[in-house]
Amino acid sequence: MRVLVVEDDRRIAADIGRALQAAGYVVDVVGDGEEAWFRGDTEDYGAIVLDLGLPGMDGLSVLKRWRANARRTPVLILTARGSWSERVEGIDAGADDYLPKPFRMEELLARLRSIVRRSAGHASSVLEAGALALDERQMKVTLRGVPVALSPLEYRLIVYLLRHRGRVVSQHELIENVYGQDEAHDSNAVEVLVGRLRKKIGPDLIETRRGFGYLVPEAVA
Ligand code: CA
């Protein structure tokens, strides 16, 4: 899943970027309000972490413009410590949750998981399909209770398919959400990844819709 991080403090931005990558997300970082608005308005992100104090355009205005344009991406805002008015304004502007600075990275990750789950209508951090269970908190995948070792790319791919279960996901969309902007990949990268995954989790869970993409069906035996 791709996450947009909007934060003009370079050190904080780099820390968040690293933590999210380590947690299996594909991350884009921008430090300017105008560019943030444009990215969030034109690209599909699974979630956005948005600082409110930004150069160019402030975070609240960015958020209001996304919402006014029917952009429903879950947004976690970063607010100044103790500023209740920022929190209230942020929630009113359409933020899904807020996190006061300074914060622990673990809490940011938990809140991010929670707003993504809520927007997808899932109540639990464990995604299940047939004999497969994926615990997003522990980044752990099991098949009939037995742990399966996945590479970071394999993990991102199966998380994305499970989150969008019942829908055919195109190769292009998978590339966008599994690979970072700077990560090189071949034209058949997704095919190769799916092949490797099937060897580890069984051949039937991920279905191929030739010419359209891949699908984890709603009902799995
Ligand atoms: Ca700031």
Side-chain angles (χ1 to χ4, degrees):
M1 184 177 83
R2 278 177 82 200
V3 175
L4 177 65
V5 174
V6 187
E7 168 61 82
D8 59 318
D9 182 316
R10 283 167 175 250
R11 195 182 51 81
I12 299 177
D15 286 350
I16 297 175
R18 266 194 304 276
L20 291 182
Q21 271 166 6
Y25 298 96
V26 175
V27 186
D28 292 343
V29 178
V30 302
D32 169 87
E34 290 274 354
E35 196 193 341
W37 171 77
F38 180 75
R39 292 276 199 109
D41 202 54
T42 53
E43 295 185 37
D44 273 324
Y45 290 101
I48 298 173
V49 177
L50 176 67
D51 183 36
L52 292 186
L54 294 169
M57 189 192 307
D58 69 90
L60 267 182
S61 305
V62 172
L63 178 57
K64 282 179 188 160
R65 283 177 69 175
W66 283 333
R67 296 309 191 219
N69 213 10
R71 287 278 165 193
R72 297 270 76 100
T73 315
V75 173
L76 173 65
I77 54 172
L78 305 178
T79 63
R81 183 197 179 96
S83 173
W84 63 266
S85 58
E86 268 194 7
R87 299 200 291 271
V88 172
E89 283 183 302
I91 299 290
D92 278 344
D96 296 85
D97 201 357
Y98 63 86
L99 187 59
K101 286 177 170 178
F103 52 83
R104 300 276 311 196
M105 223 37 96
E106 288 83 358
E107 185 171 5
L108 182 138
L109 290 172
R111 291 192 179 275
L112 199 62
R113 283 193 300 268
S114 148
I115 63 172
V116 169
R117 275 203 306 274
R118 265 189 279 149
S119 81
H122 299 302
S124 142
S125 65
V126 178
L127 301 167
E128 283 178 291
L132 188 86
L134 186 150
D135 185 329
E136 289 190 272
R137 280 183 60 199
Q138 300 185 33
M139 296 176 70
K140 202 171 120 188
V141 176
T142 56
L143 190 65
R144 284 175 213 89
V146 180
V148 183
L150 299 183
S151 72
L153 289 176
E154 291 162 0
Y155 177 82
R156 288 182 214 161
L157 185 94
I158 192 63
V159 170
Y160 197 80
L161 285 174
L162 288 175
R163 283 224 191 92
H164 297 88
R165 207 165 154 186
R167 172 162 85 72
V168 177
V169 181
S170 73
Q171 293 232 10
H172 175 75
E173 187 177 340
L174 285 172
I175 292 275
E176 293 253 295
N177 287 281
V178 170
Y179 291 88
Q181 282 181 323
D182 310 322
E183 284 175 275
H185 54 267
D186 299 328
S187 57
N188 64 342
V190 169
E191 221 176 305
V192 172
L193 263 187
V194 169
R196 288 213 303 258
L197 260 175
R198 281 177 175 151
K199 285 203 182 102
K200 294 182 176 180
I201 64 173
D204 302 326
L205 188 66
I206 304 172
E207 295 182 2
T208 303
R209 293 293 154 87
R210 211 156 286 287
F212 294 97
Y214 298 94
L215 161 84
V216 173
E218 286 284 3
V220 179

